[in-house]
Amino acid sequence: MTERKPRKDAVRNRAAVLEAADTLFARCAGPADITMADIAAAAGVGKGTLFRAFGDRTGLIRALHETRLAPLRDAVAQGPPPLGPGTPPLRRVPALLDAVLCFKLDNRHLALALEEAGSGSPYEAGHYDRWHALLRDELERVPGLTDGSFAAHALLAATRADLVEHLAGRQGMTREDLRARLAEFTARVLGDGRRS
Amino acid sequence: MTERKPRKDAVRNRAAVLEAADTLFARCAGPADITMADIAAAAGVGKGTLFRAFGDRTGLIRALHETRLAPLRDAVAQGPPPLGPGTPPLRRVPALLDAVLCFKLDNRHLALALEEAGSGSPYEAGHYDRWHALLRDELERVPGLTDGSFAAHALLAATRADLVEHLAGRQGMTREDLRARLAEFTARVLGDGRRS
DNA sequence: GACGATACGGACCCCGGGTCCGTATCGCAA
DNA sequence: TTGCGATACGGACCCGGGGTCCGTATCGTC
């Protein structure tokens, strides 16, 4: 009903813009360095096209992000353990967080751009609620944790793009190093087997 | 040497601007809603004055923040326990985090403005390094914690202004509620006495 | 009260996000 | 193949906000 098939040039241009934006964001220091006009030029289209296709800057970045995120979402929704459903919480939670961290490491520029694009926080616009709900549900099944919701917020906060950027970028921390430290921290929150 | 005493009207205007900016930020929904011109007008000065006194927008917000933060800094640097030095880590760390949380609750607008003002993250511009170093040093004396630095980052991330805003503002979470949940989370990270 | 130093203020500039509309392209149908 | 509505294109244009500049007013000192 509300479906109208788009014209060919429209989809081609859309793809070109996405492509150009991705490489531009990847190449530059900060997301603020590249303007809409830059993207349009790099994609070989006019600004109008760009805004018609994505609405506004945030829309573009969201679309880009969404594209990259799809595989991970699928893996979480219906993939095999330890990411997929059916895995016991004590094993799934660390896996989820590690996956999120890796995603942000692999897409630093994107995640950064997204957080800085949403008017203010990443908490309103986006996928955040989905991740939080997922984590919360798992955490609530962990014995001893009285508030899964807050723990979920806190753990996700530990994987925020700008923190990752700070540690991995500025501070030269290794990918594996970061993963290990997050894993250790997570284990501690989960109440690792330690007694006394 | 490099010290020259400023003129009276200069200090008066500086104070007026700070005052005006504070009330404006407090009154509006988001920091982005108020412009430099607004602040200048509210303070009854010209834009030039405002920029001469603070350099740029970030400078203004930083100055404001610094003012409000001073008492807390003093309490931490040379106040009585549990905030002051000499307190055992297991008691000081929760106290520090609670203090930070309370500060952000009491100055939501400011903290928010600051995080969004610094070009990108709060990790480059500001006091962050001081807080992190302080926390790290304490955490490294907690038995069982293998990486105090990461833990410090993670715990501070749990008190980030936009998260606080999301929980306390949007989600209507109570001040005491939030404090309790952060305290509980902190305790868990510290390895609370629980045995299996 | 007079004069150099300092600060004031707001008109002005620049840049970037977002819009508009005349023109080009698409795709369907005859 | 041609004709014609619907759809998309592009870049000139607008606007709002951060930051600057300099002629004028104020300060404070001699």
Side-chain angles (χ1 to χ4, degrees):
Chain A
M1 210 40 193
T2 62
E3 280 305 301
R4 312 182 68 85
K5 57 179 175 180
R7 258 167 52 172
K8 271 190 200 166
D9 51 353
V11 302
R12 178 164 29 82
N13 281 329
R14 184 186 171 91
V17 167
L18 247 25
E19 179 70 20
D22 195 11
T23 53
L24 279 187
F25 276 126
R27 180 147 44 221
C28 290
D33 288 349
I34 75 169
T35 112
M36 293 289 110
D38 290 339
I39 298 176
V45 300
K47 270 175 65 177
T49 300
L50 190 157
F51 279 97
R52 195 172 326 99
F54 300 98
D56 59 6
R57 187 176 228 262
T58 302
L60 205 198
I61 294 174
R62 275 233 280 274
L64 210 42
H65 196 258
E66 212 62 29
T67 303
R68 297 301 201 89
L69 197 57
L72 180 52
R73 282 222 315 208
D74 288 355
V76 168
Q78 58 206 33
L83 241 43
T87 316
L90 284 182
R91 200 159 152 252
R92 201 185 187 196
V93 168
L96 289 170
L97 287 169
D98 186 56
V100 170
L101 175 61
C102 286
F103 178 80
K104 303 230 178 160
L105 280 166
D106 293 334
N107 301 279
R108 287 227 285 276
H109 37 103
L110 269 192
L112 228 29
L114 184 63
E115 287 196 5
E116 139 168 344
S119 55
S121 57
Y123 296 109
E124 357 217 308
H127 52 283
Y128 182 86
D129 285 339
R130 296 182 90 78
W131 285 104
H132 174 260
L134 179 65
L135 255 188
R136 167 176 38 76
D137 289 349
E138 295 291 334
L139 286 167
E140 256 155 14
R141 309 181 57 199
V142 171
L145 257 183
T146 57
D147 189 346
S149 178
F150 186 84
H153 282 302
L155 286 172
L156 281 176
T159 70
R160 283 193 47 174
D162 47 6
L163 178 53
V164 169
E165 169 66 21
H166 182 238
L167 295 179
R170 207 97 29 204
Q171 216 142 295
M173 204 165 171
T174 280
R175 176 196 184 83
E176 294 311 321
D177 212 7
L178 228 184
R179 289 179 66 189
R181 286 159 203 259
L182 176 64
E184 196 239 323
F185 184 80
T186 307
R188 209 164 164 89
V189 171
L190 289 178
D192 58 1
R194 169 184 78 288
R195 50 193 58 226
S196 170
Chain B
M1 211 38 192
T2 62
E3 281 302 302
R4 311 183 68 84
K5 56 180 177 182
R7 258 166 54 172
K8 271 188 199 167
D9 51 352
V11 303
R12 180 165 26 83
N13 279 331
R14 186 186 170 90
V17 167
L18 246 25
E19 178 70 20
D22 195 11
T23 53
L24 279 187
F25 276 127
R27 181 148 44 223
C28 289
D33 288 351
I34 74 173
T35 113
M36 292 291 111
D38 289 341
I39 298 176
V45 300
K47 271 175 63 177
T49 300
L50 190 157
F51 280 96
R52 192 170 331 95
F54 300 98
D56 59 7
R57 184 175 231 262
T58 302
L60 205 198
I61 295 174
R62 274 232 280 273
L64 210 42
H65 196 258
E66 213 62 30
T67 303
R68 297 302 201 88
L69 199 55
L72 179 52
R73 282 221 315 207
D74 289 354
V76 168
Q78 57 207 34
L83 240 42
T87 317
L90 284 181
R91 200 157 152 254
R92 200 183 188 198
V93 169
L96 289 170
L97 287 169
D98 187 56
V100 170
L101 175 61
C102 285
F103 178 80
K104 303 231 179 160
L105 281 166
D106 292 335
N107 302 279
R108 285 228 285 278
H109 37 103
L110 269 193
L112 229 29
L114 183 63
E115 286 197 6
E116 138 168 345
S119 57
S121 56
Y123 295 108
E124 357 217 309
H127 51 286
Y128 182 86
D129 286 338
R130 295 182 91 77
W131 285 103
H132 174 258
L134 179 66
L135 256 187
R136 167 175 39 76
D137 290 348
E138 295 292 334
L139 286 168
E140 255 156 15
R141 310 180 56 199
V142 171
L145 257 183
T146 57
D147 188 346
S149 179
F150 186 85
H153 282 302
L155 286 172
L156 281 176
T159 70
R160 285 194 45 174
D162 48 6
L163 178 53
V164 169
E165 169 66 21
H166 181 238
L167 295 178
R170 208 96 32 203
Q171 216 142 293
M173 205 165 171
T174 279
R175 176 194 185 83
E176 294 312 321
D177 211 7
L178 228 184
R179 290 178 65 189
R181 285 157 203 261
L182 176 63
E184 195 239 325
F185 184 80
T186 306
R188 210 165 164 91
V189 171
L190 289 178
D192 57 1
R194 169 183 77 287
R195 48 192 63 229
S196 174

